Amino acid sequence: MAVSGGEKNPIGLAVVGCGRVGRIRARCAREYPGTEWLGLCDIDEKKGRAMAGEFDADFFTTDFAELIKRPEVNAVIIATDEEWHAKPLWEAIAQGHRILVEKPLATSVAESARIVESAEAADVELLVGYTQRFRRRWLTAREHVQSGVLGEVTSATTRALLNRQVGITRLSKNEDRSTLTPMVISGTHALDVMLFVMGPEKQPVEVVSRSISRVMTGIGTQDATFSIFTFDDGTIWSMECNWGMPTIWPASTYGVTISVVGTEGALTIDDTHADFIMASENPLASHRGEERHVHLLESYPAGDMSKGQFWGPMRDESIAWLSHLYTGVDMPHATGAEGHRNLMLCMACDLSAKRKEVVKLPIDAEELEAGLKAKS
């Protein structure tokens, strides 16, 4: 699917979903010189038409199929809420378009597997939005770890602490919250980063997890999940994903700390944003609407606005994808297969926590989904 060197492939882009992420990506697309046509879709016609006017879109509709089937379209961004990813994905695959979709591919792991299989069979390039891959620190960490400077990696840790408002906001619009857990919605980013840093050679062969639910019980999910993965070479990895931080916690979204230990060295990264603190007597509106007087700036993973322009990892990721479409240059985006792998591993953690037993990996998608749906 890559464009040959020097050849340009003008972009006709369909953006399905005009929420926060769709707005960021559409803004980047409008600014990118290779985007020759831009169409938008959202079920909220008033919001969508307003955004179409703001970004001088060429077309707007409330019907994603109508947009994706337009003759001008050759690439699709899917930025809807999680439970609405699959339907436009199927349509985009059927039309043979190149796709960038927010994670997860589907809220059903079995459907996620079918989507990846269908995209591969149709030779459709399917990439998944894992924005943290485009931050300098993770790219640098990957470069050093995979160059062998630490020797043989033997153990790793990941700790992700999230403001509980993340879970409240993300789940409030979903009637079925059974699979929208801290791991599936948020832990997947930290999981992807660690696997990105360690490299594809290491394959997990089992996971054991435990969860607890107290403050998030009212919205039908867990506060936290702790997991230990074992890899085929004996490497062990401890991972914590915690939605239990109070809404007044000053991080807009989350903070992460990791360590990677090898036979010849070690690497630690503090990504908690505690080095950039702002406090004010005036309440500060966050990205999710609640007010705080103290903020850990740069803790919104996508980036921030400055002088009417958006800057940050999601801009870098979006521009990199557009450059990939336009010129064929290779970029470190997560593939559809990697996105599905991440969903499988996150749900395997949830299954292990539910059963209170080790889950062997890999596990069949249908078996995994049945286990999660089974009554305790």
Side-chain angles (χ1 to χ4, degrees):
M1 296 295 292
V3 181
S4 60
E7 182 182 346
K8 300 296 187 294
N9 182 36
I11 301 165
L13 180 64
V15 178
V16 181
C18 295
R20 183 186 297 114
V21 172
R23 167 176 287 274
I24 293 169
R25 298 208 189 275
R27 180 190 296 273
C28 293
R30 186 76 288 175
E31 295 172 357
Y32 188 74
T35 306
E36 295 195 355
W37 191 91
L38 176 65
L40 307 180
C41 173
D42 199 275
I43 56 174
D44 185 334
E45 184 170 4
K46 183 178 179 181
K47 177 177 70 176
R49 288 197 180 279
M51 191 169 115
E54 181 180 353
F55 296 147
D56 193 26
D58 299 285
F59 181 77
F60 173 80
T61 180
T62 58
D63 181 350
F64 68 82
E66 179 187 14
L67 173 59
I68 292 171
K69 290 178 179 178
R70 292 277 303 195
E72 300 92 344
V73 173
N74 58 22
V76 179
I77 287 174
I78 298 172
T80 62
D81 288 341
E82 288 86 357
E83 73 272 27
W84 299 110
H85 289 176
K87 288 183 178 180
L89 258 177
W90 285 117
E91 186 63 52
I93 291 170
Q95 297 301 319
H97 299 321
R98 303 170 83 176
I99 306 164
L100 177 63
V101 58
E102 301 308 311
K103 56 81 194 165
L105 296 171
T107 53
S108 159
V109 70
E111 184 170 25
S112 174
R114 293 193 296 271
I115 287 169
V116 172
E117 291 169 1
S118 296
E120 290 176 350
D123 196 25
V124 167
E125 184 180 72
L126 172 61
L127 301 178
V128 186
Y130 277 95
T131 303
Q132 294 303 293
R133 288 187 176 209
F134 290 81
R135 294 180 61 203
R136 180 179 172 185
R137 58 183 44 202
W138 304 122
L139 289 164
T140 303
R142 180 186 68 155
E143 186 72 15
H144 287 294
V145 171
Q146 294 189 30
S147 73
V149 70
L150 302 184
E152 179 188 352
V153 172
T154 57
S155 64
T157 63
T158 307
R159 188 182 190 215
L161 299 177
L162 293 100
N163 188 305
R164 71 182 62 161
Q165 191 65 39
V166 174
I168 294 169
T169 301
R170 297 298 290 274
L171 270 61
S172 62
K173 299 178 182 178
N174 297 277
E175 292 184 9
D176 182 6
R177 304 168 185 175
S178 58
T179 59
L180 300 180
T181 64
M183 280 301 301
V184 169
I185 299 299
S186 299
T188 183
H189 290 289
L191 180 142
D192 181 72
V193 160
M194 182 57 79
L195 295 176
F196 181 63
V197 168
M198 288 198 295
E201 294 78 15
K202 291 188 177 294
Q203 296 295 318
V205 294
E206 69 174 33
V207 63
V208 58
S209 305
R210 294 295 184 269
S211 295
I212 187 168
S213 183
R214 292 290 188 274
V215 299
M216 304 298 279
T217 303
I219 61 170
T221 193
Q222 297 88 40
D223 298 358
T225 298
F226 286 47
S227 304
I228 296 178
F229 287 90
T230 302
F231 291 81
D232 53 357
D233 64 355
T235 298
I236 54 175
W237 168 31
S238 172
M239 179 177 181
E240 170 190 352
C241 179
N242 200 318
W243 265 0
M245 303 300 282
T247 57
I248 59 171
W249 189 52
S252 175
T253 303
Y254 69 89
V256 175
T257 57
I258 77 164
S259 70
V260 183
V261 179
T263 55
E264 299 173 27
L267 169 71
T268 65
I269 298 177
D270 183 338
D271 195 42
T272 58
H273 313 286
D275 59 339
F276 195 6
I277 304 173
M278 181 173 70
S280 173
E281 296 290 346
N282 301 307
L284 308 169
S286 80
H287 289 278
R288 300 187 183 277
E290 71 278 8
E291 291 185 343
R292 306 190 193 96
H293 290 268
V294 179
H295 256 295
L296 301 183
L297 299 180
E298 289 190 354
S299 60
Y300 180 54
D304 294 285
M305 296 294 297
S306 179
K307 291 288 186 179
Q309 292 182 299
F310 185 83
W311 301 94
M314 189 168 285
R315 175 186 175 85
D316 295 341
E317 178 189 37
S318 300
I319 295 297
W321 181 66
L322 294 165
S323 297
H324 172 66
L325 297 182
Y326 191 52
T327 69
V329 63
D330 192 24
M331 293 294 176
H333 293 85
T335 64
E338 289 174 325
H340 174 66
R341 172 207 65 190
N342 293 348
L343 181 62
M344 290 283 291
L345 293 178
C346 289
M347 287 190 168
C349 292
D350 290 334
L351 181 61
S352 175
K354 178 181 179 180
R355 291 178 171 175
K356 293 183 172 58
E357 62 184 34
V358 171
V359 170
K360 297 295 183 179
L361 302 169
I363 182 172
D364 177 75
E366 298 281 355
E367 178 188 349
L368 178 54
E369 187 160 296
L372 290 170
K373 289 182 177 179
K375 293 183 179 179
S376 301

